[in-house]
Amino acid sequence: MKKILCVLVWLTFSSSFLFAANLSEVVRSTEELSCCGDVPEDSIAEEAMTIDKKFLEKLGAVYRDTVECPESSTAGMSDWAYNRAKEQDSKSAYLSRKLLASQKGSTVLADSSGSNSVQLRQALLRENQVWKTLLTSLRTFDNIAIEISIIENGYGTIFMVISAGLFQDLSYIRMACLKEDVVTFTSPDKEIVKADEGMSVDSLYYYMSLCRPYVTAEMLRESDLSPSSVSDLKRLNNSHTISTMKKRVEAWITARRNVSDLLNPSAKSQYDLHTNKVLHSLIYHYWGFGC
């Protein structure tokens, strides 16, 4: 789905984000602005794949769905993505229940006597609750970025596909993380690994901000948008800001850390690696959104 989205976003948002660039007086290179001019669509797709690969090499390990959508219509692609998201959310709920099963005597515990199994269950429950809050915020954030683009470009069915793809992408990231968490909790100790830090969490906020450039009152006054569009932009501009998203992300990282601190060195290293991969996946999610 990421491959489809990257090309769709490239084609759609190449014009959408010019609006944000003009408002914020960001100067882009001529090459970037004309990247899609007089170039065959297949070449655009191939170039998107090349850039995609280079970014992933720089970023490091991520969770990404490699299953390609079999549909060709915008309605079909949208329905496929939402249905796939429902399946993945259902799997995530099952995996969460599996993790919350009694951990007494489990080899993942730092205390081999199992006396901290109750704390581990509480920490896992808290992590799941915090993730749900973060997920809701991430999806709202994505929808707002879509709405801002619609205000500038007008509504098009292509936005249905982009929105559905972003929705499904987040579902997949969570499911993939939980699947690896379960393996860590139910398999013998593995060698201790050090999570590749790659890009920092600040990179996540940076790429999120590219999708939601801040619009000042002066910029709005100088724009040629209708009063109703200006009013909508003001409303969207003040909802789920980057500072709000930082708090949600950091709350989830803290919740993961509280689980990690109760694990033995092997399980801890694996669990921390999964946390890191989610952060990388979210960076990739927003980089792809604004590619």
Side-chain angles (χ1 to χ4, degrees), residues 34-290:
S34 60
C35 67
C36 301
D38 301 321
V39 180
E41 186 173 334
D42 288 346
S43 297
I44 295 172
E46 184 178 349
E47 181 65 15
M49 301 300 176
T50 301
I51 295 173
D52 183 78
K53 183 178 179 181
K54 289 180 179 178
F55 187 83
L56 282 170
E57 289 174 350
K58 180 181 179 182
L59 180 58
V62 302
Y63 297 117
R64 61 174 182 152
D65 193 352
T66 57
V67 176
E68 295 187 8
C69 176
E71 303 292 336
S72 57
S73 68
T74 51
M77 286 189 283
S78 178
D79 288 343
W80 180 85
Y82 279 124
N83 289 334
R84 191 161 175 78
K86 288 179 183 178
E87 293 174 5
Q88 290 162 349
D89 287 342
S90 178
K91 289 179 181 178
S92 291
Y94 165 76
L95 293 168
S96 292
R97 290 194 298 270
K98 195 167 184 178
L99 282 171
L100 287 169
S102 175
Q103 297 294 338
K104 190 171 184 179
S106 173
T107 58
V108 300
L109 289 167
D111 183 350
S112 58
S113 69
S115 62
N116 58 351
S117 61
V118 174
Q119 293 103 302
L120 178 59
R121 190 178 191 283
Q122 291 173 337
L124 286 167
L125 181 61
R126 174 62 179 165
E127 187 274 343
N128 190 48
Q129 292 170 336
V130 173
W131 170 262
K132 287 180 179 179
T133 299
L134 173 60
L135 179 61
T136 298
S137 291
L138 290 170
R139 284 177 169 160
T140 300
F141 184 92
D142 290 357
N143 287 336
I144 288 173
I146 293 284
E147 285 189 63
I148 289 174
S149 296
I150 290 175
I151 288 173
E152 198 276 325
N153 291 297
Y155 179 78
T157 55
I158 192 67
F159 286 110
M160 291 170 49
V161 181
I162 296 173
S163 181
L166 293 171
F167 188 94
Q168 185 264 339
D169 199 24
L170 294 173
S171 293
Y172 181 83
I173 290 171
R174 177 59 172 177
M175 183 198 69
C177 174
L178 289 176
K179 188 179 291 185
E180 290 196 343
D181 285 349
V182 168
V183 171
T184 294
F185 276 51
T186 57
S187 61
D189 285 355
K190 299 179 181 180
E191 73 173 290
I192 297 176
V193 295
K194 179 172 174 49
D196 178 14
E197 294 300 327
M199 296 184 180
S200 71
V201 69
D202 287 338
S203 295
L204 170 58
Y205 307 139
Y206 169 74
Y207 284 104
M208 290 181 80
S209 69
L210 291 184
C211 299
R212 283 280 307 279
Y214 186 74
V215 183
T216 67
E218 182 180 358
M219 293 173 189
L220 290 174
R221 282 196 300 271
E222 294 175 355
S223 73
D224 57 359
L225 293 173
S226 67
S228 61
S229 293
V230 169
S231 177
D232 286 340
L233 275 177
K234 287 180 179 179
R235 172 180 57 82
L236 295 170
N237 197 48
N238 294 321
S239 177
H240 285 72
T241 61
I242 294 298
S243 61
T244 297
M245 298 310 300
K246 282 183 178 181
K247 293 176 183 177
R248 302 280 162 80
V249 171
E250 286 160 11
W252 177 74
I253 292 174
T254 298
R256 292 283 295 188
R257 188 179 298 120
N258 289 340
V259 173
S260 174
D261 288 344
L262 296 169
L263 306 177
N264 68 31
S266 172
K268 175 180 173 61
S269 70
Q270 295 291 332
Y271 193 80
D272 289 344
L273 179 62
H274 306 162
T275 303
N276 190 255
K277 285 173 70 174
V278 169
L279 292 173
H280 283 198
S281 301
L282 291 176
I283 291 172
Y284 183 50
H285 174 84
Y286 287 105
W287 172 83
F289 191 176

